[in-house]
Amino acid sequence: MARRAVKRRELPSEFRATAPTRLDFAGGWTDVPPFSAREGGVVVNGCIGLSARVDLKLGGALIRLVSEDLGQELECADSRGLVLDGRLDLVKAALRMFPVQSACTLTTRSDAPPGSGLGSSGALDVALVAALAGARGERLSGREIAEQAWYLETVEAKIPGGKQDQFAAALGGFQRLTFRDPDVGIEPITLEPAFAAALERQTVLCYTGRSRVSGATIARVMGAYERGDREVTGALQAMRDVAHAMAEALRASDLARVAQLVSANWRQQQSLDAEMRTSEMARLEQALAQAGALGGKAAGSGAGGAMFFITRDDPRPAIAAAQEAGATVLPVHWTSDGVRAW
């Protein structure tokens, strides 16, 4: 038996994971407590091919953390150096939560630009959990990865937020997610293939610059809700109602209705905070409206980042208008794949 034992050098030493980002079609912000706990939230989102990626290599003399897209790198002798100090805190928190052997190189990168509002931090959470769990020999379901990823970001890394990004990244595809903390309901939305292709072709995704949404913004919005602010409370309730209608519009392959609801959600979202719509976003909206866009909204929490627009049959005028307005147009390809680890 001793002769047949697996030698240390024969054990896997490299682990990888990828997880997709998402477009928030309706209901974002209603997954954030205390609203999600007291009244229940609903979010409809769809995953796109822009992904977060994690590479873990065991071994070496130090713990080495590398963020390729942020251009940041740091090293420490052991886990005692994984102090949350504003530098790669999410990655540090992941290694503290899922410790592997002391020496390793953990490299992360994201296809989405920083602060895009596409749920890239949630996708990174999910990829980190999947890769590190794999290195520890743990098998987790998609739901378990999503829950652990949310805990990683909000509790361990102390970054407030809801759960939609982690569940989207773990599950993939289009989802109608319901939130009544601590429970999350999962309801996949299957799009008719021809409609999915048309929606993909007629969705123009534009990056306006890093989102300015912060923990302070979230605290301000939810603080207003807790105080009983009628405008904020009414907006959150209306966005939840829009999400219910959005799920039905997607199932019915009603593109015009989807565009209408996207805009309805964005109008309510702007009522949450005075800084929700930046001057760059306003300029982009005006340009796309003049180019014939049917509707549009922030791709995520707002206050900068990315916006997406539903266009008429030919998206080229809208794409040209977005570029002329100074936005970067990003690719949109729906993906049914959630997190993958190997």
Side-chain angles (χ1 to χ4, degrees), residues 14-260:
E14 297 188 17
F15 302 86
R16 296 180 173 87
T18 66
T21 58
R22 56 94 190 107
L23 297 186
D24 169 6
F25 275 78
W29 282 95
T30 72
D31 60 319
V32 180
F35 183 85
S36 55
R38 294 180 185 173
E39 303 193 34
V42 181
V43 175
V44 173
N45 56 36
C47 284
I48 59 176
L50 300 175
S51 297
R53 306 170 191 278
V54 170
D55 293 334
L56 172 65
K57 295 182 180 180
L58 304 180
L62 299 168
I63 295 176
R64 184 167 175 258
L65 309 180
V66 180
S67 173
E68 292 185 344
D69 49 307
L70 296 179
Q72 297 182 25
E73 181 177 332
L74 59 88
E75 296 178 340
C76 55
D78 53 42
S79 59
R80 289 173 295 183
L82 299 173
V83 178
L84 304 187
D85 58 4
R87 299 181 301 154
L88 303 184
D89 282 352
L90 198 58
V91 183
K92 291 176 183 173
L95 272 175
R96 287 164 47 147
M97 186 172 167
F98 292 92
V100 293
Q101 73 179 53
S102 182
C104 64
T105 298
L106 186 55
T107 303
T108 64
R109 59 188 179 278
S110 176
D111 297 334
S116 62
L118 295 171
S120 54
S121 67
L124 180 58
D125 299 334
V126 165
L128 283 166
V129 169
L132 290 168
R136 290 161 54 89
E138 300 174 4
R139 292 192 174 187
L140 302 177
S141 68
R143 177 183 285 274
E144 288 171 331
I145 290 174
E147 292 285 6
Q148 295 280 4
W150 174 82
Y151 187 91
L152 163 63
E153 179 160 331
T154 60
V155 179
E156 294 293 333
K158 300 179 174 58
I159 303 170
K163 293 183 177 180
Q164 74 142 320
D165 296 346
Q166 291 83 4
F167 273 83
L171 301 171
F174 278 74
Q175 302 286 339
R176 176 184 179 272
L177 302 171
T178 57
F179 303 90
R180 177 71 76 169
D181 298 346
D183 298 325
V184 179
I186 300 169
E187 186 179 309
I189 299 173
T190 301
L191 303 187
E192 191 274 325
F195 172 70
L199 183 61
E200 180 178 286
R201 183 180 68 253
Q202 294 172 235
T203 298
V204 176
L205 177 59
C206 310
Y207 178 59
T208 69
R210 183 185 291 270
S211 173
R212 302 186 185 101
V213 166
S214 64
T217 311
I218 295 171
R220 197 161 57 239
V221 171
M222 290 304 162
Y225 168 72
E226 287 194 281
R227 292 192 304 272
D229 183 293
R230 290 185 178 181
E231 184 176 21
V232 169
T233 300
L236 289 166
Q237 292 168 342
M239 290 161 69
R240 180 185 57 196
D241 293 341
V242 171
H244 284 299
M246 179 65 76
E248 295 309 310
L250 288 168
R251 290 193 177 101
S253 302
D254 190 339
L255 193 143
R257 178 66 170 155
V258 168
Q260 179 187 37

